[in-house]
Amino acid sequence: MTTTQQVPGGPRTGTATRAARPGTVPPQAPAPPASVAAVLARLRALEATLPPADGIAVFNRVYLSVTEEIARRLGTGGFQDPSAAGELDAVFARRYLAAVDAAGAGLTVPACWRPVFQLRRHPGVRPLQFALAGINAHIGHDLALAVVDTCRALECEPAALASDFDRVGDLLTGMEERIRESLMPGPDLLDVADPLTHLAGSWSLEMARDGAWAAARVLWSLRGMPETAREFTERLGSGVGLVGRCLLTPLG
């Protein structure tokens, strides 16, 4: 087995590649979605096939609701540059969907996603934990790389995406509280000593979002130094995965 690590625009981080045995046909992953509409179609298809209690299904429902709101705002003038914002959203989603496809093919998923996929059926992990760990992986790691990939595709600097990046961030922050409330098991919400309340309060989407923008700027500045960029990307994925592992501490 050989493992290829990703720098923005290259192979996906942490995705293992395996040679097919003679006489076998490697499983074909779906084509990467090229638009927000295609992203929505993939997310809805996953929702229809995943068991509701599966940890990936929990995150997928959250991500679907966020993407539906982004699509609505793209159609109503909610972004400064709808074309660039749509490109960023599609590129961003590809990283989550690539992790799903890798897991489905029996390949190693990126380090940032590994805890979610490994513990997706653990009975002691609550739905809110899966939602936050998925958001952590996608924002903390995937978003930074998606910004760089989008800048390469559009031949622009990260600053050109800053305004719409902030708009997406504000949307996510606004939805975060609703997500927490919908997945919190009732009275435990007010019990500060409850382990789930403690875990939920230990992670901040706003801080993850700020970290993603800072990481994107660092990666953009390293685009002429691929080895350094690769090392930075690997460390970023490992660090985000460690946070995810903590968020998924079994509570029962």
Side-chain angles (χ1 to χ4, degrees):
M1 177 188 299
T2 58
T3 302
T4 56
Q5 298 297 329
Q6 177 176 11
V7 291
R12 292 182 178 89
T13 304
T15 301
T17 57
R18 296 175 179 172
R21 288 178 293 181
T24 65
V25 178
Q28 296 296 313
S35 66
V36 176
V39 170
L40 287 171
R42 280 293 314 272
L43 295 177
R44 288 168 181 153
L46 282 172
E47 183 180 32
T49 58
L50 292 172
D54 185 293
I56 299 301
V58 173
F59 170 74
N60 194 79
R61 288 194 294 272
V62 169
Y63 195 32
L64 175 57
S65 67
V66 170
T67 307
E68 287 174 336
E69 180 60 21
I70 288 175
R72 187 189 70 79
R73 296 192 185 191
L74 283 170
T76 57
F79 291 97
Q80 177 177 293
D81 185 341
S83 178
E87 176 73 10
L88 175 59
D89 187 71
V91 170
F92 184 31
R94 286 174 203 160
R95 292 190 172 272
Y96 159 61
L97 295 171
V100 171
D101 293 337
L107 303 179
T108 302
V109 300
C112 63
W113 282 106
R114 209 164 295 152
V116 186
F117 281 89
Q118 289 175 340
L119 296 171
R120 61 191 295 181
R121 297 180 181 90
H122 197 297
V125 180
R126 312 278 183 85
L128 179 59
Q129 293 174 263
F130 285 123
L132 293 181
I135 296 170
N136 168 69
H138 204 36
I139 297 293
H141 173 270
D142 294 352
L143 183 54
L145 275 64
V147 168
V148 176
D149 286 344
T150 302
C151 287
R152 289 184 184 277
L154 300 180
E155 298 182 344
C156 68
E157 296 284 328
L161 301 177
S163 179
D164 286 331
F165 180 96
D166 287 340
R167 283 178 169 84
V168 172
D170 291 342
L171 183 156
L172 290 168
T173 301
M175 297 185 73
E176 180 187 17
E177 190 59 35
R178 298 206 306 267
I179 293 167
R180 288 175 182 264
E181 289 177 358
S182 67
L183 295 176
M184 214 40 161
D188 288 343
L189 180 64
L190 301 178
D191 185 358
V192 295
D194 180 78
L196 180 59
T197 303
H198 173 75
L199 276 177
S202 68
W203 184 83
S204 165
L205 188 151
E206 186 173 358
M207 291 183 67
R209 160 191 159 188
D210 290 346
W213 183 251
R217 293 179 62 193
V218 170
L219 282 168
W220 186 251
S221 71
L222 294 175
R223 62 193 183 281
M225 296 179 281
E227 291 301 321
T228 303
R230 183 175 293 108
E231 182 178 356
F232 180 88
T233 301
E234 290 173 355
R235 297 293 182 268
L236 178 65
S238 297
V240 170
L242 178 60
V243 173
R245 177 72 65 180
C246 293
L247 287 171
L248 293 171
T249 300
L251 302 177

